[in-house]
Every structure is written in C-alpha cells, then in structure tokens.
Amino acid sequence: MTEAKKEKFIVPIGPQHPALKEPGNFEFTVDGEIVTDAAVRLGFVHRGIEKACENRNYTQDLYLLERVCGICSHVHATAFVLGVEKLAGVQAPPRAEAIRVLAAELERIHSHLLWFGVAAHEAGFDTLFMYTWRDREVVMDILETLSGSRVHYSVNILGGVKIDVDQKLSDLIKKDMDFLEERTEYYMKVVTTDDTFLGRTRGIGTLSKDRAKLLGAVGPTARASGVKRDIRVNAPYSGYKEFPVKMVIDQTGDLEARFVVRLKELYESYRLIREILEKIQPGEITTRIKRKIPEGEVISRVEAPRGELFYYIKSNGTEMPDRVKVRTPSLCNWGTITDVAVGHKLADMPMLLAGIDPCFSCNDRMVEIRSDSQPSQMMNWDGLRKYGIEYYR
Amino acid sequence: MSTDSENFYAQIVNKLKNWARINSPWAIHFNSGSCNGCDIEILATLTPRYDVERLGIKLQGSPRHADVLIATGPVTLQALDRLIRVYEQMPDPKYVIAVGSCALSGGVFDGCYSVIGDLNKVIPVDVYVPGCPPRPEAIIFGVVQLLDSLKKGKKPTKIVVSNDVPELIIEEKSNGNN
C-alpha cells in the first residue's frame, strides 16, 4: 500500500496565468498518467471591486463593474443596470432593451469564437485558432462601429443605452452575420467530422446530467449535459421577452457536446440579431432616472456567454449602493472540473479546462513535483499543452 | 590576447546581440490582475489581422527566454510576488511595457484595497501604452517605440500622438467656508 502511494504525485497548475479572467491554482494528484484527485484555489486577481462599489455612485459603479471581465463586460453592466432600474422603479424604453440584447448577442458571438479558438489551440489545432480569431475580428469591427470601443463597449447607462443603430449599420451587421454563419458551418463540420479533433473531444470529460445539477454547473457546460438552464429562456429579462431565444441542449455531456452546444448557440445569436434588426421599433433610448436610488434590495440574473451571472444590489437610499455582490458563471463551473478530471489522463487536462470556458490560456506555469527520490520538474502551461499534443500524436 | 582585442570582440558580440534583439524581440506577457481586456488585445496582435510574428515579435511562455515583459493590470497584492519573480527571472538586458490604464495608474481600480495601482512602483517601466484597453495597433506602436529607442541606445522619450487633445475639465471644489 505504501509502495503504491509513493507512485502518486501532485501536479500544481497555476496560478500565474495571465490570459483570462479567473486565474486559479489547480492541484492534480496523479497516479502514473491518471488523475486521481483535483483541487482548485482562486483569488489571484482579487481587486476588491465589490468593496470599491460602495465608495462610488451608481454611474461610476457601472464603469467599474464593466471591468470585472474584459470578455463579457456588457452582461455585467446589464445585470447591474437591470437591478438598479428595478430598485428605482424605472423601465428602459423598448428600443433600449432591444439594443441591449443586440449588444449582448454580439458579445456572445465574440466570446464563443474567442473560446473556440483558445480551445482549438489547446488541442494543438493552431490553424483553427487563427481562423476563428480572424473571423472574430469581424464581430469586433461591428462592436467598434456600434460603440466606439473594441472591448469595454459601455452600451448601458442607467435608464437606457447610449448608442443607437441606424439603417446603414444594420445593413452592415446583416451582411457580416451572413459571412459568420457560413464560417460557423465550416467550424461545425470540423468539430463533428475531423478525426484528430474527435479523438481529443469525443467521450472525454463526460459530465452526467445528475452530476451537473448537483455541482451547480451553469451555461453551455450545463446545457451540454442536458440541464435546461438558460436565464434567457427560464426567466426572460430585458429585450428577451420580446425577442425569445431557443435553448440549445445536448445530452451526451462530453467535450464534443460542449463544442457543439456553443456553435449551435452562435446560429441562434445570428438569427436573433437579424430578427432584432428587422423588428426594432423607432423611439426613445433613454429615460430619466434619479441619482438617489430608493432603499431596498434586488437580485438580478442575466445569461452571460459562460452561464448565469448573478447580481445582488442593496441600496440605502443614497447615491451609493450599500452592497453589491457579484457571482460569475466561471466560478460555478470550476466545481465540475474537480469532478470530471478524476479518472482522466494528465494529457486531457488542457482540453478539459478549456472545455468549461474558464478563460484559461497561454502561459500558466506549472510545477510537477515527483515523489521523494525524484527531483522536482518545472513545467509551464505551454509545456502541459505540448505534453497533451505529443501524447495524442 | 591583449585587453584591447578582448574589448574589440566584446563590442562586436554586444552589437550582434543588440541587432538580434531589435530584429526579433521575444516577449512574455503577464497579467497582474487585469480584467482580460488588455490581455485579449495582446493576444489579438498575434492573430491574422495584426500578426506581429511577421515582424519577428514572438510571445514567449517562459520568462527565461524573454527580452520584453508586457505587463497589464493594476498589480494585485496576490500577483505582486509573482510579478517580481517573473521580472527577476528574465535575463538582462530586459525591458518592460506597461499596457493599459490600470498598469499606468490603477485606472478604475484606483483606491481598491488589494491593488497597488502603478506598475512603476514595483518594477521599472520603459514604455507606457495608455487605453482601456489600448487597441492592438497601439500595443504594436508601443513595442516599435521601444525598439526604435534601443537602436539609438537611449531610453524612450514621451511622444505626442495627437495635438488636438481636449482640455481637462476640472471640477471646482467648493471651499469649506462657503
């Protein structure tokens, strides 16, 4: 028994991982090639945003909260704005709500394409990474034309939106949607038919429906396991009441299903954007809102590209909120990693981590500690990725 | 060998090193608590639209292979040790580019309890690229500025990008007496 224990070693991954949102430190206990246990530690980009919200007024908070995440900045602002508007008893005009949905769906397209590229990169499929990021620039151009910024769009203001869509822009967007739809068809073909890719995704990291429910998975990770969890459908907010979406569900729950669900969501986004541009009604885009928000507390939920985003706002009747609580979707999905990783090969870890879209990318450093007799070995995220690719070659 | 010829060879090697460094700088990217906005834009400079690899600039995973540290974010207390460690692991001579408003001054996170807010307080910075986030073109421009100054053998100086910058409107604060 002690002999067998000596064979095991712990592989910590992270926390120095620059690329995306929530850097985490993972510890995989490995028995030979197979992962037997996994743990996660978070908090490396803790900036104290929730506390900072209490020292700023509602308008300033809007810009602060947009910078919680650079990938889904619009949904953070939307969640906050919807909550504050509810507290103040103000309803944004229908045109403003439609524009909010338009921006949210454009953001979903950019986020999913970004993820798709990064996931392909982790699989060693760099051509696909370059393809998707090239196509992603099309969406970035639209967002820039729409709002003036590529990343933090600042579409929302309290009581409405600050940008508007005209006929010329809407024609441009429609043309670009046609192009992206054609490209997505190609990606779908790659994901479902390419043998090399399927070898890395099919049957890997399967998360059953019950486990997904138990672990509180959200967003495409949950939907790939057959859990019907999509705030846009379950509790429509803002413009989604007027422009309903179809929930994309898959039953298999493996990595391939997560790819397919996200790509199918892209189609849904293209359709919705076209519908909004066709049916959007002319009218006001803002209403007046008082600087002082009445006392009360509110919960606001929206569907971010990665899943359910949850905001709790408490007001004490002044210009500044008493408490703002943010729960991001990536946090909910980390739990599934520790569950799914067990029993898989170390070489599958990059793809599994990328599979929940945790914004886990390039140069994460990794230390591999062997048992007593052997010297410890340093590896970085690149090294782990290469290891995975070599393993499946 | 005499010391004169030793110096001569050392000079040639140095010139060669500098030439190589200017023509193909390897960069490491470190996020010290940024929101990803800048990091995505840095990643976007590698992709087909901007493609800095055609200019010889390569994003490198390991600090030990890097000449340039591209750092983003307001330096959280958690990331502080790691930032310094990454900087110290880089071989000399090394240069630092601070990307984004947060790395310049803390940006919107100024005053938060767990951020330092200025990269220059932690490690010496050579080039600042402002913006929230800066466009990929701006990041490439920042790298080019660094390389230009290396050619001349000087530290980069402040440059004027645009003359028509609107004047800052500073709110008049009322005195306690009024």
Side-chain angles (χ1 to χ4, degrees), chain A residues 283-321:
Chain A
E284 286 287 311
I285 55 168
T286 48
T287 48
R288 288 190 72 84
I289 188 164
K290 281 186 182 141
R291 279 175 72 100
K292 284 185 180 164
I293 305 296
E295 213 168 309
E297 47 187 356
V298 73
I299 281 171
S300 164
R301 299 191 298 163
V302 299
E303 184 78 8
R306 284 164 187 76
E308 178 191 339
L309 176 69
F310 175 98
Y311 264 67
Y312 165 82
I313 305 156
K314 189 179 171 202
S315 167
N316 53 8
T318 59
E319 287 177 15
M320 297 173 190

Side-chain angles (χ1 to χ4, degrees), chain A residues 15-16 18-21 41 43-49 51-52 56 64 67-71 114 129-130 133-134 136-137 141 144 150-152 362-363 365 380 382, chain B residues 28-31 33-37 39-41 43-44 46-50 60-62 74 76 78-79 82 85-86 108-110 112-115 132-133 135-136:
Chain A
Q16 186 221 96
L20 305 148
K21 183 155 100 193
R41 192 212 146 177
F44 289 96
V45 286
H46 178 78
R47 290 156 291 190
I49 292 179
K51 185 71 189 164
R56 290 158 164 82
L64 180 66
R67 280 150 184 85
V68 169
C69 173
I71 305 174
L114 177 144
F129 167 60
M130 291 295 175
W133 278 65
R134 185 193 66 189
R136 181 177 159 271
E137 289 293 335
D141 279 350
E144 195 182 1
R150 282 164 56 93
V151 174
H152 296 302
C362 29
N363 53 345
R365 257 182 57 241
N380 56 15
D382 258 7
Chain B
I28 179 184
H29 158 229
F30 182 76
N31 168 333
S34 138
C35 71
N36 292 339
D39 312 276
I40 290 162
E41 295 297 69
L43 207 54
L46 296 178
T47 51
R49 165 89 55 100
Y50 302 101
Q60 178 59 35
S62 165
T76 60
Q78 288 268 2
R82 279 140 192 116
R85 201 200 272 172
V86 164
V108 287
F109 305 116
D110 190 28
C112 288
Y113 61 82
S114 85
V115 304
C132 188
R135 292 181 58 86

Side-chain angles (χ1 to χ4, degrees), chain A residues 80-367:
Chain A
F80 181 71
V81 156
L82 288 176
V84 174
E85 280 171 4
K86 209 164 153 193
L87 273 177
V90 171
Q91 175 75 31
R95 188 174 173 89
E97 296 203 317
I99 291 174
R100 276 179 190 167
V101 172
L102 177 72
E105 291 304 317
L106 283 169
E107 186 175 77
R108 196 178 310 277
I109 294 170
H110 121 71
S111 173
H112 279 1
L113 283 177
L114 177 144
W115 165 81
F116 187 52
V118 172
H121 172 72
E122 302 303 353
F125 206 156
D126 268 342
T127 320
L128 200 57
F129 167 60
M130 291 295 175
Y131 271 162
T132 43
W133 278 65
R134 185 193 66 189
D135 297 337
R136 181 177 159 271
E137 289 293 335
V138 174
V139 196
M140 301 304 278
D141 279 350
I142 298 174
L143 283 168
E144 195 182 1
T145 331
L146 204 62
S147 70
S149 174
R150 282 164 56 93
V151 174
H152 296 302
Y153 331 114
S154 296
V155 169
N156 286 305
I157 48 174
L158 295 174
V161 292
K162 74 167 87 142
I163 56 152
D164 207 351
V165 195
D166 58 6
Q167 192 53 45
K168 199 175 149 200
L169 188 58
S170 111
D171 289 344
L172 181 85
I173 297 175
K174 275 182 209 156
K175 215 175 84 195
D176 285 343
M177 287 304 121
D178 292 341
F179 169 75
L180 286 171
E181 188 151 20
E182 194 190 313
R183 295 299 302 166
T184 312
E185 238 141 68
Y186 168 73
Y187 298 141
M188 199 65 161
K189 205 178 113 207
V190 171
V191 165
T192 50
T193 58
D194 189 273
D195 281 343
T196 347
F197 209 67
L198 281 180
R200 295 296 301 275
T201 56
R202 188 167 281 178
I204 302 231
T206 311
L207 184 69
S208 69
K209 191 175 176 180
D210 294 338
R211 292 301 291 173
K213 269 188 183 167
L214 188 73
L215 293 162
V218 292
T221 314
R223 292 199 282 277
S225 297
V227 182
K228 287 181 181 154
R229 203 172 273 174
D230 187 335
I231 307 298
R232 293 177 293 167
V233 180
N234 295 348
Y237 55 92
S238 191
Y240 287 109
K241 286 169 208 152
E242 210 177 324
F243 302 100
V245 286
K246 223 171 68 218
M247 202 189 293
V248 181
I249 291 270
D250 204 308
Q251 300 298 334
T252 37
D254 58 358
L255 266 175
E256 190 199 356
R258 286 173 213 165
F259 274 91
V260 170
V261 162
R262 286 202 176 89
L263 285 177
K264 279 187 182 162
E265 279 188 17
L266 284 178
Y267 289 124
E268 192 58 20
S269 294
Y270 302 146
R271 184 196 62 74
L272 194 66
I273 286 170
R274 285 203 196 96
E275 195 189 315
I276 290 170
L277 292 173
E278 288 291 334
K279 289 187 187 166
I280 193 165
Q281 296 298 320
E284 286 287 311
I285 55 168
T286 48
T287 48
R288 288 190 72 84
I289 188 164
K290 281 186 182 141
R291 279 175 72 100
K292 284 185 180 164
I293 305 296
E295 213 168 309
E297 47 187 356
V298 73
I299 281 171
S300 164
R301 299 191 298 163
V302 299
E303 184 78 8
R306 284 164 187 76
E308 178 191 339
L309 176 69
F310 175 98
Y311 264 67
Y312 165 82
I313 305 156
K314 189 179 171 202
S315 167
N316 53 8
T318 59
E319 287 177 15
M320 297 173 190
D322 202 30
R323 177 85 174 96
V324 178
K325 162 82 188 135
V326 186
R327 195 197 62 179
T328 55
S330 289
L331 187 68
C332 308
N333 283 336
W334 285 125
T336 65
I337 282 290
T338 54
D339 193 65
V340 155
V342 175
H344 280 90
K345 300 184 190 81
L346 189 60
D348 287 327
M349 287 307 120
M351 282 295 273
L352 270 184
L353 288 174
I356 64 160
D357 195 358
C359 321
F360 210 97
S361 177
C362 29
N363 53 345
D364 210 351
R365 257 182 57 241
M366 161 175 146
V367 189

Side-chain angles (χ1 to χ4, degrees), chain A residues 6-9 368-377:
Chain A
K6 268 196 173 173
E7 292 294 307
K8 289 179 185 172
F9 47 83
E368 188 169 312
I369 304 166
R370 308 230 165 205
S371 56
D372 320 334
S373 54
Q374 284 159 312
S376 65
Q377 188 192 345

